[in-house]
Amino acid sequence: MKTNKRSLKTYGLLVVLLAVLAALNVYLPQGMPASMLPDQELPASKGVLAAVNALIMLVLYGGLGLLGLTLSRKVGFPALWDEAVSNRARFLVPALVGAGLGVFLIVADALFSRLHSLLPLPHPPFPTSLVASATAAIGEEIVFRLFFISFWMWIISSALLGGRREEGTFWIMSALSGVVFALGHLPSVMLIYGIRSVGQVPIGLLLEMLLLNSVVSLFAAYQWRR
């Protein structure tokens, strides 16, 4: 019970931090070239946009994550502060794996950029880069790992298969979460590059999005399951 309370408090703090970062990001420079920005004004003031962003994170992301947190326990995942998990497995190993993945993404992005003629995707300047990275790290884990994988594992393995084939279901859902995450970024990529249809997206760019996001999803899901 003590572990569950600590896990819920930690999760709540992460969601609040996510909301604060999402609101703060509205006021930070985005660093995108004018040629890549859509030619339209903001739909509301920055204060309103910041409040809306924070509310979305608290209600939508927070709600989905809370559901995922509940379902993850039902399918046998450890709690955020499971006493059976050492601090080395909880902090050090994921940090080292994350650093290795970062190097892999940099090298892979440089290689894939040779397969199409588009300019590299713009990266936000400092300190926006730190806020964007932290927001993505929390928000994407909540939606695409904690909720997505837990929900579908509970539906398929627990409800439909009676607890059988958990291992296979886990890996399939982990890979699928990466694919869904990659495709979720496709509209923004098309907007940045001025691409009007999916058929016009260079195959090299599409393969890069699918491959890199799937690799990250598999490693992140494996570390979370441990």
Side-chain angles (χ1 to χ4, degrees):
M1 183 64 68
K2 183 178 180 181
T3 298
N4 290 336
K5 287 183 178 180
R6 189 179 184 188
S7 295
L8 285 174
K9 288 181 180 179
T10 302
Y11 173 73
L13 289 174
L14 286 172
V15 173
V16 171
L17 177 60
L18 177 65
V20 171
L21 292 174
L24 177 62
N25 190 60
V26 174
Y27 295 95
L28 297 177
Q30 301 304 305
M32 293 177 60
S35 59
M36 288 187 171
L37 289 172
D39 187 19
Q40 59 183 25
E41 296 181 358
L42 293 176
S45 67
K46 287 187 176 182
V48 172
L49 292 177
V52 170
N53 281 356
L55 187 62
I56 289 175
M57 298 303 170
L58 288 173
V59 177
L60 181 59
Y61 279 60
L64 289 177
L66 191 59
L67 176 60
L69 202 63
T70 302
L71 294 178
S72 69
R73 301 294 289 151
K74 293 182 179 295
V75 296
F77 283 79
L80 294 180
W81 289 102
D82 198 307
E83 295 178 357
V85 179
S86 66
N87 285 331
R88 179 179 181 275
R90 183 179 289 113
F91 296 113
L92 179 59
V93 175
L96 294 176
V97 172
L101 280 175
V103 174
F104 166 75
L105 293 177
I106 293 171
V107 174
D109 181 57
L111 294 175
F112 271 102
S113 64
R114 300 181 180 181
L115 300 180
H116 58 78
S117 58
L118 298 176
L119 294 173
L121 284 170
H123 293 277
F126 179 85
T128 312
S129 56
L130 296 181
V131 173
S133 296
T135 303
I138 301 172
E140 291 164 13
E141 288 303 304
I142 287 177
V143 174
F144 293 99
R145 248 71 70 189
L146 183 57
F147 169 73
F148 186 95
I149 297 176
S150 298
F151 177 79
W152 287 110
M153 279 196 68
W154 180 73
I155 290 291
I156 297 173
S157 181
S158 297
L160 298 180
L161 300 179
R164 301 187 305 274
R165 300 183 180 179
E166 286 187 352
E167 189 72 15
T169 303
F170 166 75
W171 287 112
I172 291 173
M173 290 303 106
S174 297
L176 187 59
S177 72
V179 173
V180 173
F181 173 61
L183 295 179
H185 281 73
L186 194 56
S188 60
V189 170
M190 292 172 61
L191 179 64
I192 289 174
Y193 286 121
I195 299 174
R196 297 183 178 277
S197 67
V198 176
Q200 295 177 342
V201 178
I203 187 65
L205 179 60
L206 189 58
L207 287 174
E208 177 183 5
M209 293 176 61
L210 292 173
L211 176 62
L212 300 192
N213 283 288
S214 295
V215 169
V216 170
S217 179
L218 290 173
F219 274 92
Y222 175 69
Q223 289 298 325
W224 166 49
R225 193 184 188 195
R226 293 182 63 198

